[in-house]
């Protein structure tokens, strides 16, 4: 059964504001694989579980027609209202019921979403809609995150991780797939020609406010917020104060480098 976690309008707005696009190394990994498989001139790309469109917009810079799909109407509304290109469109639909013809999709992607899908049904749909010779790219960022700022990077990361590790105790059981580096998703992909890359490291330019906003957009934090609103908000505020003190600055808009490890499952359907 699919798990729906990002449907509230307020959560979708936070998601749009603070979720970052795929990093350059993840982009390079996907595009290099597509060149290797001869799918780099894809006509139709479908981004499943697109949320507010961060990954979809990256794809639109490289391919002729991109369709982002998500089960959440609030997320799709945010995507439609965000910056976009004329070759992008969005649809509300489940990942397990894609409204595309058999063998019509050149590239099927999912960025930090597949762990919420009903994997058996989604993989059946992937096998149905992807054309022979077409590809699948399913990625997620992991919980391995750190911060860099001047000479205080280690201490800054420690402060952030104290909050992040507490928040992760509120994780849904489906996060287990992320913690296991998408091995279950890799094994479920019904294409023999496939691989899993677990060491994609990206450095995302952010601010202190952006890092904490990202954390607030996460499903574990939203569960924490629902369970104990005062404690959740207070902990974020206290963490922001400590981070600024460690950095020796006063502005939450101070730039930092957010270092993230990605996992990517790539596959090519037999011709």
């Amino acid at each position: 059964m699919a798990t729906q976690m990002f449907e509230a309008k307020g959560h979708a707005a936070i998601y749009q504001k603070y979720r970052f696009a795929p990093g350059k190394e993840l982009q390079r990994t996907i595009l290099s694989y597509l060149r290797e498989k001869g799918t780099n001139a894809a006509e139709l790309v479908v981004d499943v579980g697109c949320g507010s469109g961060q990954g979809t917009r990256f794809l639109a810079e490289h391919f002729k027609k991109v369709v982002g799909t998500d089960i959440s109407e609030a997320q799709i509304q945010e995507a439609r209202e965000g910056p976009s290109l004329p070759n992008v469109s969005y649809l509300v639909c489940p990942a397990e019921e894609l409204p595309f013809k058999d063998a019509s999709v050149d590239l099927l992607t999912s960025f930090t979403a597949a762990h919420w899908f009903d994997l058996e049904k989604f993989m059946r749909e992937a096998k149905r809609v992807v054309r022979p010779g077409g590809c699948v790219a399913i990625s997620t960022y992991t919980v391995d995150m750190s911060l860099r700022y001047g000479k205080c990077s280690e201490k800054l990361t420690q402060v952030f991780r104290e909050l992040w590790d507490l928040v992760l105790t509120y994780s849904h059981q489906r996060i287990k797939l992320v913690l296991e580096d998408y091995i279950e998703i890799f094994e479920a992909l019904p294409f023999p020609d496939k691989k899993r890359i677990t060491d994609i490291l990206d450095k995302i330019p952010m601010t202190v406010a952006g890092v904490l906003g990202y954390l607030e957009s996460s499903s574990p934090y939203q569960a924490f917020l629902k369970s104990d609103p005062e404690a959740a908000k207070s902990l974020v505020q206290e963490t922001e104060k400590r981070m600024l003190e460690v950095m020796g600055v006063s502005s939450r808009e101070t730039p930092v480098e957010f270092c993230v490890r990605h996992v990517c499952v790539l596959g090519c359907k037999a011709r």
Side-chain angles (χ1 to χ4, degrees), residues 92-144:
V92 176
C93 69
E96 302 80 11
E97 298 175 25
L98 299 174
F100 301 96
K101 294 179 181 179
D102 294 0
S104 63
V105 175
D106 297 293
L107 171 63
L108 191 74
T109 66
S110 181
F111 296 96
T112 315
H115 45 281
W116 302 117
F117 303 164
D118 181 316
L119 284 184
E120 182 179 353
K121 292 180 179 178
F122 170 66
M123 291 302 181
R124 190 159 57 235
E125 278 292 83
K127 185 176 181 180
R128 180 184 69 80
V129 302
V130 173
R131 66 163 176 81
C135 290
V136 171
I138 303 172
S139 68
T140 186
Y141 33 77
T142 69
V143 299
D144 296 337

Side-chain angles (χ1 to χ4, degrees), residues 26-222:
L26 177 59
Q27 293 183 26
R28 185 192 61 76
T29 299
I30 293 171
L31 294 174
S32 295
Y33 180 79
L34 298 178
R35 284 194 295 271
E36 174 191 331
K37 297 298 179 181
T39 316
N40 51 309
E43 291 285 318
L44 174 60
V45 178
V46 176
D47 185 28
V48 186
C50 69
S52 45
Q54 287 81 354
T56 318
R57 289 190 285 273
F58 145 62
L59 295 166
E61 297 173 1
H62 298 276
F63 302 104
K64 186 174 181 179
K65 181 181 179 182
V66 181
V67 181
T69 74
D70 202 283
I71 198 168
S72 166
E73 291 187 14
Q75 289 282 7
I76 291 296
Q77 186 63 32
E78 288 288 341
R80 287 172 174 159
E81 292 175 358
S84 194
L85 294 170
N87 59 328
V88 176
S89 60
Y90 294 99
L91 294 173
V92 176
C93 69
E96 302 80 11
E97 298 175 25
L98 299 174
F100 301 96
K101 294 179 181 179
D102 294 0
S104 63
V105 175
D106 297 293
L107 171 63
L108 191 74
T109 66
S110 181
F111 296 96
T112 315
H115 45 281
W116 302 117
F117 303 164
D118 181 316
L119 284 184
E120 182 179 353
K121 292 180 179 178
F122 170 66
M123 291 302 181
R124 190 159 57 235
E125 278 292 83
K127 185 176 181 180
R128 180 184 69 80
V129 302
V130 173
R131 66 163 176 81
C135 290
V136 171
I138 303 172
S139 68
T140 186
Y141 33 77
T142 69
V143 299
D144 296 337
M145 299 173 173
S146 61
L147 296 172
R148 291 186 180 176
Y149 182 82
K151 296 180 179 180
C152 63
S153 300
E154 186 175 342
K155 180 62 176 176
L156 187 62
T157 296
Q158 181 183 339
V159 171
F160 169 75
R161 288 295 319 196
E162 287 176 13
L163 172 59
W164 188 222
D165 290 344
L166 174 61
V167 167
L168 287 174
T169 64
Y170 288 84
S171 294
H172 189 278
Q173 62 184 9
R174 300 292 292 178
I175 297 297
K176 177 174 178 283
L177 278 72
V178 177
L179 298 176
E180 295 176 347
D181 285 350
Y182 268 18
I183 184 64
E184 185 175 337
I185 289 172
F186 172 74
E187 291 174 346
L189 184 64
F191 304 159
D193 183 356
K194 59 184 176 180
K195 63 181 179 179
R196 181 176 63 113
I197 305 171
T198 62
D199 58 353
I200 304 167
L201 303 177
D202 262 308
K203 300 172 184 177
I204 312 294
M206 297 186 78
T207 63
V208 173
V211 168
L212 294 174
Y214 159 75
L215 185 144
E216 290 175 313
S217 77
S218 70
S219 59
Y221 179 80
Q222 292 293 316

